[in-house]
Amino acid sequence: MKNLLSAVFVVSLLLTACSKKETPGFAAEQNVKIHYDTAAVDSFSAGATSIDIVRQIRMSSQKYQDSIKQAEKLQKEEQKLKEELEKENKKKLEEDKKKTEADKKQKTADSPPTNGVKPQ
């Protein structure tokens, strides 16, 4: 019986000693996530910027990047259209030159040679 009582005492002592201890009060570890309403501008900055303003800056910069891309696309399209118009204009000019040369040749071939004699 002595052995049984001593064994129960040792087991209860081990259970209490090995149990997880929680300390009450201010020393207790708190897992609280602190929410800041500002964000540092950069590591060299003396101040901070509001989270809302940072969000607006990011959104506006994305809009700005999108507008730049769109402007570049428009410029490329305009350049393509100008090149096509220039090609068409060159073709038209060449055709007009060919027509005028053909007309001149036809006029010279149709008109009789005048050897300095006036017809009466």
Side-chain angles (χ1 to χ4, degrees):
M1 179 100 165
K2 269 186 170 181
N3 289 338
L4 186 61
L5 285 176
S6 63
V8 170
F9 177 72
V10 169
V11 169
S12 63
L13 183 64
L14 285 175
L15 287 176
T16 58
C18 294
S19 67
K20 189 174 182 180
K21 295 181 182 180
E22 293 184 21
T23 57
F26 69 92
E29 187 177 329
Q30 296 178 355
N31 292 331
V32 176
K33 186 175 181 181
I34 300 171
H35 177 70
Y36 295 103
D37 63 343
T38 58
V41 175
D42 59 33
S43 60
F44 302 107
S45 176
T49 306
S50 171
I51 293 291
D52 295 330
I53 294 173
V54 171
R55 186 178 309 124
Q56 288 176 355
I57 291 170
R58 287 182 184 155
M59 287 173 31
S60 67
S61 66
Q62 183 66 30
K63 290 177 185 176
Y64 179 72
Q65 295 298 325
D66 290 343
S67 66
I68 289 175
K69 288 178 184 178
Q70 197 172 26
E72 287 176 355
K73 286 180 184 179
L74 289 173
Q75 286 179 349
K76 287 180 183 178
E77 289 177 7
E78 287 177 2
Q79 286 178 349
K80 287 180 183 179
L81 289 174
K82 285 180 182 179
E83 289 174 359
E84 289 176 5
L85 286 174
E86 287 177 5
K87 288 179 183 179
E88 289 177 8
N89 288 338
K90 285 181 182 179
K91 287 180 183 179
K92 287 180 182 178
L93 288 174
E94 288 176 6
E95 289 176 3
D96 289 341
K97 286 181 183 179
K98 288 179 183 178
K99 286 181 183 178
T100 55
E101 288 177 5
D103 288 343
K104 287 181 183 178
K105 286 181 183 178
Q106 235 179 8
K107 286 181 182 177
T108 56
D110 289 345
S111 64
T114 59
N115 293 330
V117 178
K118 290 184 181 179
Q120 288 183 350

